[in-house]
Amino acid sequence: MLPVYSGGHTAYQTFLLENLRKYYPDPTVFSKSTWDIIERFWNLDLSYTDELLRSKYSVFGPKPRTPSCMQRSYLLSIDFKVHSLTDWAAQLKINPLYAILSGFRFGDTPGVGTFYDFLNRLWDSDSDNLSPHIHPLKKKKVQKPKQKGEKAESIEKITVEQLFKSMESSSFSIDDQPYASLFKIYNHEFLTVSISKGLIDTSNLSIAGDGMPVVTSARERKHRICKCSENGITSCDCDRYFSQPDCDVGYDSSRDCFYHGYDLYMLVASNSESDLPLFPLLNPASKHDSHGFLETYFRFRAFLPDFHISKWLLDSAHDAMPYYQYCRENGIQPFIDLNEKRGISMKYKDDFTIAKDGIPICKAGRKMNHDGSEPSKARLKFRCPLASRKYGCSCSTPCSDSKYGRTVHLAMKDNPRFINFPPRDSKEWKLEYNARTSAERSNKREKIDFQLESGRHRST
């Protein structure tokens, strides 16, 4: 039969209050951290889950567990650091607090099979993965960087420019995605609540992005499905059966090792007070951040079209000209660190070089001084550092006869990658770019605090 839970979140709060008084009459038995969890779930309204998943239950058969209670119980297992559903189902039977906070009566709690059935209902596809199990071997593999701490080079078959064109011309519908129910729950019960409380400003949003390695197994598991070995061919390029088709081998620069699993790319509201996440997407481990951002961003824009993006805060892995061109065309301010591997100096007006921080260097090798800006024309003005209006230029080889000294205007249209507005050496740029670390702090919470890798995930 269909799940019924009359009263919604208010009924859960009444149930929680009655049973806590019954089993724990002395409130001092709980630690402060436990009271924090109790308070959090007291305020967490998950009644939308009951409404959304109602159609996924049969009208026949025994009465099912309430979907919101199953979801609440799963979230509790993360808070209490119990990584195995088998262990959690056992804990619910012996610990009244876990059962009561979940919304179950102590002594009448779900088994491990009920949890797996619930997780299956959250995934809107008959397949447990996004890709088919049978597919060709990857001919190009990720290579270890030459220097420690560096990120691995991209092995993508298409360029960033080609991917931009492909993503811009693609249309994404959330209802077509296997994670549609998951996203709707996240959006309705968490993201929308943050917006309503003023924690996220959707009218002027600065987003930071970063990829994070998620290890799922020690090695890649695959086996042959052809008969080449029986015919004496030990090495062939035939398709293989992969047990985790959405995963592959990538390089973790922080751990300085190869790993098998996913690359979780997370978009974060960098101008929110608590580095709140906006949209996550799982990619194969070999996915380079410059491609991972685009795969994530354009889906985010399609699923949440009312969000107005004003700034991108990204690290040097995203330093590619198409990023800057897209920002100019769409009214977005890019705050992207320069990647030295892609070249950090360029000739400008034949006799000037632009340094890594975007400051022009004159013939004598000196950095020029800021002397104003013109936002309406998107250009910056620089002046000779040795020029004096009274005494002229003190340089031994002056490049101008004027007492005012040589002046250079850097126009963003000439090279938006180098010529940034505001300039990279300004306090304004550095202060804004410092907020990019919000993506790293968000990733740390998911990986360390919520122990994401401890779930021993075997499917997407």
Side-chain angles (χ1 to χ4, degrees):
M1 62 182 293
L2 296 175
V4 178
Y5 197 68
S6 59
H9 188 61
T10 304
Y12 165 73
Q13 290 178 325
T14 303
F15 168 85
L16 181 61
L17 203 59
E18 291 175 353
N19 283 270
L20 283 179
R21 286 172 175 171
K22 176 181 176 181
Y23 287 92
Y24 301 97
D26 181 9
T28 60
V29 298
F30 297 135
S31 64
K32 184 181 181 300
S33 59
T34 302
W35 273 116
D36 289 340
I37 294 174
I38 294 173
E39 182 181 2
R40 193 182 318 142
F41 280 86
W42 171 270
N43 294 311
L44 182 59
D45 186 356
L46 302 178
S47 53
Y48 174 76
T49 303
D50 296 329
E51 175 188 338
L52 180 68
L53 300 185
R54 183 180 178 84
S55 61
K56 296 191 176 186
Y57 289 82
S58 173
V59 295
F60 305 103
K63 181 180 178 181
R65 299 288 180 177
T66 307
S68 59
C69 293
M70 295 299 298
Q71 180 190 1
R72 191 180 296 109
S73 187
Y74 184 74
L75 295 176
L76 274 168
S77 71
I78 297 174
D79 263 326
F80 286 109
K81 313 298 183 187
V82 181
H83 310 127
S84 165
L85 286 177
T86 303
D87 293 342
W88 180 247
Q91 287 291 330
L92 289 174
K93 296 183 184 300
I94 62 177
N95 192 322
L97 178 63
Y98 293 171
I100 295 168
L101 281 178
S102 299
F104 305 125
R105 295 195 177 278
F106 182 59
D108 182 22
T109 56
V112 63
T114 309
F115 278 100
Y116 281 110
D117 287 342
F118 171 72
L119 294 181
N120 286 336
R121 288 185 170 92
L122 292 175
W123 187 251
D124 302 329
S125 173
D126 294 333
S127 172
D128 291 342
N129 299 280
L130 300 171
S131 307
H133 284 281
I134 299 174
H135 60 78
L137 291 166
K138 286 194 174 181
K139 295 183 179 180
K140 194 174 181 181
K141 298 182 178 179
V142 172
Q143 300 296 317
K144 182 177 180 179
K146 294 180 180 179
Q147 295 185 3
K148 187 175 181 180
E150 287 186 353
K151 292 187 177 182
E153 292 290 334
S154 174
I155 60 167
E156 309 295 343
K157 294 181 180 179
I158 63 174
T159 64
V160 171
E161 184 178 6
Q162 291 171 333
L163 186 58
F164 255 111
K165 293 178 180 178
S166 174
M167 291 288 105
E168 287 186 277
S169 61
S170 299
S171 59
F172 300 101
S173 171
I174 186 59
D175 293 325
D176 296 335
Q177 310 302 323
Y179 48 83
S181 293
L182 277 170
F183 175 78
K184 289 175 182 177
I185 289 172
Y186 158 72
N187 184 29
H188 192 280
E189 297 177 344
F190 299 94
L191 186 57
T192 303
V193 174
S194 296
I195 295 170
S196 66
K197 292 181 179 295
L199 300 177
I200 297 176
D201 181 8
T202 60
S203 63
N204 183 29
L205 195 60
S206 298
I207 63 170
D210 197 18
M212 175 181 67
V214 179
V215 179
T216 60
S217 61
R219 62 183 179 85
E220 189 176 48
R221 293 181 173 88
K222 61 182 183 294
H223 64 261
R224 297 173 183 266
I225 55 174
C226 61
K227 296 184 179 180
C228 292
S229 59
E230 297 176 8
N231 298 325
I233 303 175
T234 57
S235 179
C236 69
D237 295 329
C238 297
D239 292 356
R240 302 287 198 272
Y241 181 92
F242 293 82
S243 61
Q244 294 177 277
D246 295 336
C247 300
D248 65 2
V249 177
Y251 188 80
D252 186 347
S253 57
S254 61
R255 295 171 177 167
D256 194 25
C257 66
F258 290 96
Y259 74 98
H260 180 258
Y262 300 98
D263 178 80
L264 175 64
Y265 201 98
M266 178 66 76
L267 298 180
V268 177
S270 62
N271 58 343
S272 64
E273 293 185 5
S274 303
D275 309 324
L276 295 176
L278 294 171
F279 185 75
L281 188 69
L282 284 175
N283 296 305
S286 63
K287 180 74 69 176
H288 194 265
D289 278 357
S290 61
H291 286 65
F293 173 81
L294 300 183
E295 297 279 2
T296 309
Y297 178 77
F298 281 99
R299 285 171 173 80
F300 162 72
R301 293 290 296 138
F303 302 156
L304 299 167
D306 295 333
F307 284 39
H308 176 71
I309 312 301
S310 59
K311 297 172 184 175
W312 283 0
L313 281 63
L314 305 169
D315 63 17
S316 60
H318 307 79
D319 178 31
M321 184 63 79
Y323 273 82
Y324 300 94
Q325 293 171 341
Y326 178 86
C327 287
R328 285 193 65 195
E329 294 168 0
N330 292 273
I332 299 173
Q333 266 191 300
F335 292 83
I336 305 174
D337 200 15
L338 284 175
N339 189 340
E340 295 186 19
K341 291 182 179 179
R342 295 192 175 100
I344 59 170
S345 61
M346 60 167 285
K347 282 289 183 181
Y348 190 73
K349 297 187 177 179
D350 298 327
D351 52 357
F352 284 84
T353 302
I354 298 179
K356 179 181 178 180
D357 53 7
I359 305 300
I361 299 175
C362 68
K363 292 179 181 180
R366 294 183 175 88
K367 282 189 176 183
M368 302 188 76
N369 292 337
H370 277 295
D371 196 42
S373 60
E374 297 176 87
S376 61
K377 296 181 180 180
R379 69 179 189 178
L380 304 167
K381 180 183 176 183
F382 293 87
R383 185 180 168 217
C384 175
L386 300 179
S388 167
R389 293 176 182 175
K390 184 176 181 180
Y391 301 107
C393 183
S394 60
C395 181
S396 58
T397 56
C399 48
S400 175
D401 297 332
S402 171
K403 288 185 177 181
Y404 190 80
R406 179 67 183 270
T407 301
V408 176
H409 289 87
L410 299 185
M412 188 181 293
K413 63 181 177 61
D414 293 337
N415 191 320
R417 176 173 173 249
F418 277 103
I419 305 169
N420 214 283
F421 202 93
R424 284 187 172 89
D425 74 326
S426 65
K427 290 183 179 179
E428 182 184 354
W429 195 94
K430 292 175 181 177
L431 182 63
E432 190 72 46
Y433 186 73
N434 285 342
R436 192 203 64 80
T437 55
S438 59
E440 296 174 354
R441 289 190 291 272
S442 176
N443 287 345
K444 177 262 178 186
R445 282 203 298 269
E446 291 131 26
K447 195 168 188 175
I448 307 300
D449 299 348
F450 299 149
Q451 302 180 359
L452 178 62
E453 293 179 333
S454 299
R456 295 179 291 179
H457 309 286
R458 291 295 176 262
S459 67
T460 301

